[in-house]
Amino acid sequence: MDPQGTLLNSWSAVWVVLSEDGLEFYKKKIDRSPKGMIPLKGAKLLSPCQDFPKKPLVFKITSEKKQDHFFQASYVEEREFWVKDIKRAITCLEGGKRFARKSTRRSIRLPEVNLTDLYMEMKDQDNGIREIKLEQNNRLFNYCFTGATVVEWMISNGKARNRPEALVLAVGLMNEGYLQPADDMSKEAAESGEQTTFLDDTKALYYFADSGFFCEGYSSDEDVLVKEEFRGNIIKQGCLLKQGHKRKNWKVRKFILRDDPAFMHYYDPSKGDDPLGSIHLRGAVVTAVEFVPDAKKYDVDGNLFEIITAEETHYFLQAATTEERKEWIKAIQVASKSGK
């Protein structure tokens, strides 16, 4: 297990048996032979684990041979249960005593989840989380959802067995930048440094990192609505082909590029004025490309370019002509450097 990788992407669920002298772990509950065993004689246990400061449910066992093993429980109570019994077993071995408790056999949930795939499922227009408008404290939050909605969606779609497990995944999505806090309540929780950075609450608001989220609030100087993302001057607009993230199909979208703050909003040209989404360009990289994954499948060829946001989200676009592609690339590069 690589401590440098993304914990929720790299690790898998295991079934664990605590015996009097070791910790055995199995791929499945019904397996007769363990995948491995960690001897507890001379071992040390650390909880919470400082190797993953943003993942408070992780604990570390260092064997006598200085090998590190990391585990993550589903919730705090389960972590404490394991930590207490493993420490007791280690203490008994040090004192030459026998661990009195019968072998403990329980499931530690270490979800083998690709967070990128989970994020795309959450954004699916048909089966994902619905982005809505919510009003709080004289402010209107557009394209957002509540923390409780995220938790309930994960459980109802089989991504988690219970609310504590759903919270583990939600925290992972936040740590990777896929989910962002929208209101003061969720922002304070995310920045507090406490164990739970994601709130399972109907009043805590969040949004997708590459959505069309914006907040409208009443100005202190005049009674008007101020849309944060739409404050910038329009420096370019027009239609481009855009590749979808989920199905990889290509559709014509109207794009409006603004600076300070630097955003590209895209719209369905046949519908109303509400954007389908937005691309935050601060720190983004844009380059011309000659090949796009799955492009041949849909006969898309030529005048292609790619935008990679600071959150490493990739957008593939196609202009009508080579000259138009150059103009878009130049305009986006200027906006990404000057806008906030």
Side-chain angles (χ1 to χ4, degrees):
M1 289 175 272
D2 181 5
Q4 300 300 316
T6 301
L7 183 64
L8 292 174
N9 282 347
S10 305
W11 294 9
S12 58
V14 292
W15 190 261
V16 177
V17 174
L18 173 60
S19 61
E20 61 186 40
D21 61 353
L23 199 66
E24 298 176 346
F25 49 97
Y26 298 75
K27 187 175 182 180
K28 296 179 181 179
K29 179 180 178 180
I30 60 175
D31 291 347
R32 294 184 177 181
S33 300
K35 284 181 63 178
M37 194 273 280
I38 305 171
L40 293 180
K41 184 177 181 180
K44 297 184 182 299
L45 187 147
L46 180 63
S47 175
C49 177
Q50 299 303 314
D51 297 73
F52 298 95
K54 294 184 178 180
K55 296 174 171 49
L57 300 180
V58 175
F59 61 89
K60 178 172 72 173
I61 300 174
T62 302
S63 69
E64 191 174 28
K65 295 182 178 180
K66 307 302 180 183
Q67 292 181 320
D68 292 336
H69 304 270
F70 299 90
F71 293 90
Q72 179 174 235
S74 298
Y75 45 92
V76 174
E77 290 79 6
E78 185 181 47
R79 183 197 67 188
E80 294 306 308
F81 175 90
W82 279 97
V83 167
K84 179 181 178 181
D85 277 359
I86 294 171
K87 282 185 175 180
R88 284 183 58 202
I90 293 173
T91 302
C92 287
L93 288 169
E94 289 175 347
K97 300 178 181 179
R98 185 172 182 177
F99 183 43
R101 185 183 179 89
K102 294 182 179 179
S103 295
T104 304
R105 189 178 178 96
R106 289 198 175 200
S107 170
I108 294 183
R109 181 83 168 186
L110 300 175
E112 188 174 347
V113 176
N114 185 304
L115 292 180
T116 302
D117 290 345
L118 176 61
Y119 177 62
M120 297 314 300
E121 287 188 51
M122 293 171 68
K123 290 194 64 180
D124 184 80
Q125 293 184 0
D126 297 322
N127 301 311
I129 294 175
R130 184 185 175 192
E131 298 171 276
I132 59 177
K133 293 183 179 181
L134 292 169
E135 185 175 358
Q136 287 188 12
N137 301 322
N138 292 326
R139 300 167 70 192
L140 185 63
F141 298 86
N142 297 267
Y143 298 96
C144 67
F145 39 82
T146 70
T149 298
V150 173
V151 171
E152 289 163 4
W153 181 89
M154 288 185 181
I155 295 173
S156 64
N157 285 271
K159 307 302 179 184
R161 296 177 296 184
N162 48 47
R163 300 188 90 86
E165 284 186 8
L167 277 174
V168 172
L169 292 175
V171 169
L173 289 165
M174 280 197 67
N175 288 337
E176 295 301 315
Y178 291 119
L179 296 182
Q180 298 289 331
D183 67 327
D184 293 338
M185 181 178 179
S186 59
K187 287 179 180 178
E188 288 176 5
E191 297 169 0
S192 66
E194 296 177 0
Q195 289 187 348
T196 303
T197 59
F198 187 93
L199 299 178
D200 178 8
D201 197 295
T202 56
K203 294 182 180 180
L205 305 183
Y206 297 87
Y207 66 93
F208 295 129
D210 59 349
S211 73
F213 171 79
F214 62 93
C215 175
E216 301 172 339
Y218 289 101
S219 168
S220 59
D221 298 324
E222 51 185 2
D223 192 20
V224 295
L225 287 174
V226 180
K227 300 181 180 180
E228 297 292 335
E229 281 190 15
F230 295 87
R231 281 182 171 178
N233 296 319
I234 296 177
I235 57 177
K236 188 171 178 60
Q237 59 182 309
C239 289
L240 298 166
L241 270 176
K242 175 183 175 294
Q243 185 188 51
H245 282 110
K246 180 71 174 179
R247 298 182 177 86
K248 304 299 182 184
N249 54 343
W250 293 78
K251 292 184 179 181
V252 175
R253 295 289 181 242
K254 178 184 176 181
F255 283 81
I256 296 180
L257 173 62
R258 293 179 172 87
D259 64 356
D260 197 24
F263 278 89
M264 275 182 71
H265 295 87
Y266 50 94
Y267 306 75
D268 185 336
S270 65
K271 295 183 180 179
D273 295 330
D274 292 330
L276 298 174
S278 67
I279 306 172
H280 192 188
L281 297 175
R282 175 67 183 272
V285 177
V286 56
T287 55
V289 295
E290 301 305 322
F291 174 77
V292 174
D294 301 325
K296 290 184 178 180
K297 184 177 179 180
Y298 298 97
D299 297 323
V300 174
D301 188 27
N303 304 320
L304 299 164
F305 62 101
E306 177 185 16
I307 299 173
I308 306 176
T309 68
E311 293 79 22
E312 296 187 357
T313 303
H314 294 244
Y315 294 86
F316 292 102
L317 307 168
Q318 183 188 40
T321 65
T322 302
E323 186 62 30
E324 185 180 9
R325 177 175 69 173
K326 290 181 180 179
E327 293 175 358
W328 274 106
I329 291 176
K330 183 178 180 180
I332 293 169
Q333 286 175 337
V334 172
S336 66
K337 294 176 182 177
S338 62
K340 61 183 178 181

